[in-house]
Amino acid sequence: MKNIILKILESKIQGDVYSTKEFREFYSVDASSYKIIPKIIIIPKNEKDVIETVKIAKKMKTSVTVRGAGTGLVGSALNAGIILDMKNFDSVRLVKNYANVGTGTIKGILDKKLEASKKFFAPNPSIGSFCSVGGMLGNNSSGSRSLKYGSVIDNVLEITYVDGNGNKIILPKN
C-alpha cells in the first residue's frame, strides 16, 4: 500500500515527496516525548499540492497530519501516515490594519515584520518566536497578554483551510 500511494503522490505533487528512512526518522518526533514514524512526508509547493494530498490520502484511507514548526508538547505534529510540512507557506503581507499570514510562518518572523510597522500579534505562547502560525491556530494559542488581548481566535479575521475531503473552506469571523 505504501508503494502505491507513494507513486501516486510523486506523480501528482509538485512539491517534495519523501519516504527515506532519514526523513521518516526526522519527522517522527516533535517537541513532545512521543515518537511516531510516518510513512510519507510531503513538503507542498502550493495549495493544489495540499488539496491533492488530502484527496489521495482519503481515497487510499491514509491519515494526514499538517505540521508547522513541530514545537507542540502533545504530539499533535506526529502521525503514522502522511506528514504535510507547511514550511513553504510562510508569506506575510501587511495591510493597514491586519496581516495576511501563511500557516507555515514562524511567529518570530511575523513579530519582526509587525514590529517594523509598530504593530504586534497579541498571542505569545511559551515557545515564543519558534512556533508557526498554523500551529497557533490549531491550538488557539494565548499567553501572558491573553487577558488583555485574547487568544488566537480573538485576533483572526479569516481562516482558509482544506478539509478532510480536499475542499478549500474560508471561515470569516462573525
Side-chain angles (χ1 to χ4, degrees), residues 93-142:
R93 187 172 56 89
L94 300 177
V95 186
K96 187 176 181 180
N97 291 318
Y98 66 93
N100 195 342
V101 182
T103 188
T105 302
I106 301 300
K107 181 158 184 326
I109 293 169
L110 174 61
D111 287 342
K112 286 180 183 173
K113 290 186 178 192
L114 289 171
E115 187 179 341
S117 298
K118 296 187 178 8
K119 302 207 184 287
F120 69 99
F121 185 51
N124 62 330
S126 61
I127 196 66
S129 59
F130 302 102
C131 59
S132 69
V133 172
M136 292 177 70
L137 280 166
N139 293 318
N140 192 27
S141 295
S142 55

Side-chain angles (χ1 to χ4, degrees), residues 139-154:
N139 293 318
N140 192 27
S141 295
S142 55
S144 61
R145 297 188 291 240
S146 64
L147 289 175
K148 184 172 184 178
Y149 299 106
S151 59
V152 169
I153 195 69
D154 302 305

Side-chain angles (χ1 to χ4, degrees), residues 1-3 5-6 9 17-21 23-25 27-28 36-42 60-63 78-83:
M1 179 68 104
K2 176 186 164 196
N3 289 336
I5 194 168
L6 181 62
L9 288 165
V17 179
Y18 300 104
S19 65
T20 62
K21 182 181 179 197
F23 274 89
R24 293 174 62 231
E25 281 290 324
Y27 284 92
S28 71
I36 301 172
I37 299 174
K39 289 179 181 67
I40 300 169
I41 296 88
I42 297 178
M60 302 298 287
K61 296 182 172 46
T62 302
S63 58
L78 306 177
N79 171 18
I82 297 171
I83 299 291

Side-chain angles (χ1 to χ4, degrees), residues 18-109:
Y18 300 104
S19 65
T20 62
K21 182 181 179 197
E22 295 79 15
F23 274 89
R24 293 174 62 231
E25 281 290 324
F26 179 83
Y27 284 92
S28 71
V29 295
D30 60 5
S32 73
S33 58
Y34 302 109
K35 180 174 184 174
I36 301 172
I37 299 174
K39 289 179 181 67
I40 300 169
I41 296 88
I42 297 178
I43 303 174
K45 183 178 181 179
N46 52 42
E47 189 178 273
K48 183 179 178 227
D49 281 354
V50 175
I51 291 169
E52 280 296 317
T53 299
V54 171
K55 286 182 176 181
I56 291 166
K58 181 178 181 182
K59 184 176 180 181
M60 302 298 287
K61 296 182 172 46
T62 302
S63 58
V64 176
T65 295
V66 179
R67 182 180 177 119
T71 57
L73 301 175
V74 295
S76 56
L78 306 177
N79 171 18
I82 297 171
I83 299 291
L84 264 174
D85 185 332
M86 302 302 285
K87 65 183 173 185
N88 288 339
F89 292 77
D90 61 349
S91 63
V92 176
R93 187 172 56 89
L94 300 177
V95 186
K96 187 176 181 180
N97 291 318
Y98 66 93
N100 195 342
V101 182
T103 188
T105 302
I106 301 300
K107 181 158 184 326
I109 293 169

